[in-house]
Amino acid sequence: MSTFPAFRAGLFAAAFTAAVPAFATPQQGSGVAWDIVEGLTTEIGPRMAGSEAEARARDWGSAKLKALGFQNVRVEEFKTLAWQRGPESAKLTAPYAQPLAITALGFSVPTPKGGLKAPLVYFPTLAALEAAPDGSLKGKVAFIDHAMRAAQDGSGYGPYGNVRRQGPSVASRKGAAGVVIRSAGTDSHRNPHTGVTVFAKDVQPIPAGAVSNPDADLIARTAARTAAGGKPMAIDLTLEGKPFPDAPSGNVVADLPGRDPSLPIIVIACHLDSWDLGTGAIDDASGCAIVTAAALAAQQGGQALRTIRVLWSGNEEMGIGGGGGAVYARMHGAEPHAVAMESDFGADKVWAAKFNTAAENKPMVDKVKAALWPMGIVPHEGETEGGADVAAIIKAQDLAVIDLGQDGMHYFDLHHTPDDTLDKVDPAALQQNVDAWTAVLKVIANEPGVIGKGQ
Amino acid sequence: MSTFPAFRAGLFAAAFTAAVPAFATPQQGSGVAWDIVEGLTTEIGPRMAGSEAEARARDWGSAKLKALGFQNVRVEEFKTLAWQRGPESAKLTAPYAQPLAITALGFSVPTPKGGLKAPLVYFPTLAALEAAPDGSLKGKVAFIDHAMRAAQDGSGYGPYGNVRRQGPSVASRKGAAGVVIRSAGTDSHRNPHTGVTVFAKDVQPIPAGAVSNPDADLIARTAARTAAGGKPMAIDLTLEGKPFPDAPSGNVVADLPGRDPSLPIIVIACHLDSWDLGTGAIDDASGCAIVTAAALAAQQGGQALRTIRVLWSGNEEMGIGGGGGAVYARMHGAEPHAVAMESDFGADKVWAAKFNTAAENKPMVDKVKAALWPMGIVPHEGETEGGADVAAIIKAQDLAVIDLGQDGMHYFDLHHTPDDTLDKVDPAALQQNVDAWTAVLKVIANEPGVIGKGQ
């Protein structure tokens, strides 16, 4: 459409006489949870594990938790293998010149100086790539497509996320000089999804990137022309990100002491680090906001019986088993825990609850279910997951787990993209999360008996 | 959310056994219109006025129109002032370090070598900037906010688009070294909206860019902290795009000759150039697709009485009154025209029709209205607009105009962004456009009497 106003005179005649605000910010929430998400995304923003920004986020979190009245607030630093993004760009050079919206995957290695110029070979699925003969991709870049669909419980991320997690290793095993995947995401925006890939021990790491879904569509359409007798595809790829060892990271840990300090504690976790492309609003400032606000709200009827601890974990995104959750379990393995829970699936409404608790705890669980039901939260019998920040302590102490399942229909529209920003957080849904967590904590943190895991 | 699969075992157990397609392209249309949008976006992609890609698009269009059976297909070249994008980036450096998603506006001038580092001053509206004292922004960058809302007829683009069109001139007049605006768009994605700005003759052109809406939200939140006593904002801005004169552009013109070549012709227009950030699917490959498919479909009951001409205009986006539409009027001013129409507002459903026709043509207009009504298209009494590609010929020959108004509720989510890609075109809505245009053409191209404009 034209940008030339004289030809759109009709548009200009409209009188807009609405009151002029001092600030045009469209959406505002309130309360502790909103304050944390708004503050962390505004005052810190992107906070990659191992970065200076993640260190600033720890200071920010520590100050915030103290100001909110938490006790024993401490930063527990550790070193980690991290990864740093570099300049990145890509374009199809044949059969059609088309710029591509690309981002490197975490633990990608850099392309050669001047970029990687190579034929691009299309695989509709990871299985199709696996079926290619070894060595058949020598000097080529593999493109791996897939057809991820949204699911309320996020379950599409398992199989389709494997394209990102395993695809680069498979491509390398076939001899590929590089690999590009369709983003593990469900949106249709020109914002590619990053995330770590894990190179298997027996393969050479190669440059690995993800293009946005519209770019992947373009590649698929072009590949169809190639397959129908058209010219082959070629790509010019620059991905300069690279791993770096011994980066500083750390957890922020804070307590709301219980009336009976001898009872095993409740730990509720989130992660403080984020990917660099967005400001980490849904992944996972929201999680930290939810658990922190709920821990405080659970004290409103009086101090809880058990200590509630919040863990704002460092380096969850690139931790691969050695992130903040594992460090926490090592450092706090001697302290008795009762239940571990995590919030790390965005800020949409909680709709399901899963329990891994002992048969003896049925009365407690029934109380939790009864408190959640009016909020539209249904019990579900599936296996609990815990999450990356609590998995190690759950395993170490064989803990009971309660999962509060958030609606994931839109989570993978935003996950690991530039679009993970504050405007995506619905204040009402965020508050529903806080209310659900508060309801759970009020029951379990006041449970005097032994809380055990299921058989 | 974790990227580490071992902790999400539940997700991995799901069995996905759907049949594997050879290509994972999600959406397919069919027919002439889809074929044009799909082809132009896939085989050409971005095609800035004055670029080599725009020249390839002319060749592509010319070949396509010949293949579709159009007669007298010709490329009519002209020279134009154009603008070329360069590297561009921005970050807030104070009070918080935050990268910003930015794009230069067309006719921006480059920032100094090494970038422009300056205080950033927030204005909630263009009116607030206009109220600032002259010279008060010396050495500073102005940020202009606004609160554009979507409208079915696109009318928000008038007043809010002025922030882009006039804002940079106003900022320059106040002494600003640069200007950044909230994108003239209605989405919440990290994709800034480009588009030309028009520097007034009496001001010094300055570097001018637009940030995405989430970035503008961030700036507004930060500015509120500054206003409440926080530290002032500062920006580091790099926008290296610059104007260049005498760039090659051109129109593609093609006819479906009528049974009576002596009658004034019907010209239906779109534009072939696009902004460079997306692939110009809705702006305006869809328009070319719609008018072309409709011209052909209007012949299905037999050759029309009047010649129908399609004009795929060059350099609409940066034409500012001298683009392809003006060139067409100069070159074809001697040929009698009857009606001029344009499609340049995306691919969403047509919902309204406006007429500027002589009272004597009421029976013809009534036939058109009757044909459109079953498609949900209502007549509207407002002033017709024509559009940039037909405005000059309408003015030169005092032509009748018929506007088919498309639903614009989502147009400014995509307009001039990287997100203007094929997946945004709904094949069913595209076809409804073709059907509506066909219905109009069948009546007016078979009208034997004089077709005149309203008084």
Side-chain angles (χ1 to χ4, degrees), chain A residues 74-112:
Chain A
R74 63 274 196 204
V75 172
E76 298 175 343
E77 294 185 352
F78 58 90
K79 296 281 184 184
T80 190
L81 173 66
W83 181 86
Q84 200 162 31
R85 192 174 304 283
E88 49 193 25
S89 64
K91 55 185 181 215
L92 271 186
T93 53
Y96 315 117
Q98 291 265 16
L100 298 171
I102 198 164
T103 197
L105 301 181
F107 299 120
S108 170
V109 292
T111 46

Side-chain angles (χ1 to χ4, degrees), chain A residues 179-251:
Chain A
V179 58
V180 176
I181 66 165
R182 179 189 285 270
S183 285
T186 48
D187 61 299
S188 288
H189 298 289
R190 299 290 292 288
N191 290 315
H193 298 235
T194 189
V196 294
T197 191
V198 185
F199 285 102
K201 290 210 171 91
D202 64 324
V203 305
Q204 183 73 23
I206 56 176
V211 294
S212 81
N213 275 317
D215 292 85
D217 293 347
L218 175 72
I219 290 171
R221 295 197 304 272
T222 305
R225 284 162 162 82
T226 301
K231 289 184 190 166
M233 294 192 293
I235 194 168
D236 187 346
L237 188 63
T238 296
L239 299 172
E240 296 187 8
K242 53 175 185 265
F244 68 103
D246 294 325
S249 188
N251 296 328

Side-chain angles (χ1 to χ4, degrees), chain A residues 1-3 8 24 38 41-43 98 122 188-190 221 225 283 316-317 344 411 418-419 424, chain B residues 1-3 24 38 41-43 98 122 188-190 221 225 283 316-317 344 411 418-419 424:
Chain A
M1 179 188 174
S2 174
T3 55
R8 294 269 164 189
E38 199 270 355
T41 55
T42 306
E43 298 173 13
Q98 291 265 16
Y122 178 88
S188 288
H189 298 289
R190 299 290 292 288
R221 295 197 304 272
R225 284 162 162 82
D283 189 12
E316 188 269 353
E317 292 294 359
D344 183 17
Y411 185 71
D419 258 345
K424 309 311 182 308
Chain B
M1 181 189 175
S2 173
T3 56
E38 198 271 353
T41 54
T42 305
E43 297 173 13
Q98 291 265 16
Y122 178 88
S188 289
H189 299 288
R190 298 291 294 287
R221 296 197 304 273
R225 284 161 162 82
D283 189 13
E316 188 270 353
E317 292 294 359
D344 185 15
Y411 186 70
D419 258 345
K424 308 312 182 305

Side-chain angles (χ1 to χ4, degrees), chain B residues 144-375:
Chain B
I144 319 174
D145 208 339
H146 63 82
M148 182 168 172
R149 295 291 175 267
Q152 184 150 316
D153 66 352
S155 54
Y157 190 50
Y160 298 115
N162 279 345
V163 168
R164 188 193 79 218
R165 288 178 287 254
Q166 301 167 13
S169 288
V170 176
S172 178
R173 201 167 281 129
K174 305 297 179 182
V179 57
V180 175
I181 66 166
R182 179 188 285 269
S183 284
T186 48
D187 62 299
S188 289
H189 299 288
R190 298 291 294 287
N191 289 314
H193 297 234
T194 189
V196 293
T197 191
V198 184
F199 285 103
K201 289 212 170 90
D202 63 324
V203 304
Q204 183 74 20
I206 55 176
V211 294
S212 81
N213 276 315
D215 292 85
D217 294 347
L218 175 72
I219 290 170
R221 296 197 304 273
T222 305
R225 284 161 162 82
T226 301
K231 289 184 188 165
M233 295 192 292
I235 193 167
D236 187 346
L237 188 64
T238 296
L239 299 171
E240 297 187 6
K242 53 176 186 264
F244 69 102
D246 294 326
S249 187
N251 296 328
V252 182
V253 181
D255 296 340
L256 292 176
R259 298 197 307 278
D260 184 349
S262 75
L263 284 174
I265 68 171
I266 312 289
V267 64
I268 52 180
C270 62
H271 66 88
L272 187 52
D273 65 310
S274 79
W275 279 100
D276 54 332
L277 303 177
T279 60
I282 66 151
D283 189 13
D284 183 33
S286 291
C288 292
I290 291 162
V291 300
T292 305
L296 291 166
Q299 317 292 324
Q300 277 168 1
Q303 187 187 12
L305 184 63
R306 293 174 192 262
T307 294
I308 299 175
R309 172 174 293 169
V310 298
L311 163 60
W312 292 17
S313 170
N315 190 24
E316 188 270 353
E317 292 294 359
M318 297 194 281
I320 316 181
V327 172
Y328 175 84
R330 276 204 305 279
M331 293 187 66
H332 296 275
E335 296 168 60
H337 290 63
V339 180
M341 297 175 64
E342 176 186 292
S343 178
D344 185 15
F345 197 53
D348 274 353
K349 200 168 170 288
V350 176
W351 67 282
K354 290 194 281 192
F355 302 86
N356 182 341
T357 44
E360 294 73 20
N361 295 124
K362 184 172 184 302
M364 177 191 82
V365 170
D366 285 345
K367 266 194 259 180
V368 171
K369 288 177 179 173
L372 294 177
W373 186 260
M375 299 179 207

Side-chain angles (χ1 to χ4, degrees), chain A residues 111 116 118 120 137 139-143 168 171-172 175-180 206-209 237:
Chain A
T111 46
L116 175 60
L120 182 68
L137 290 175
K140 296 172 181 168
V141 173
F143 179 82
S172 177
V179 58
V180 176
I206 56 176
L237 188 63

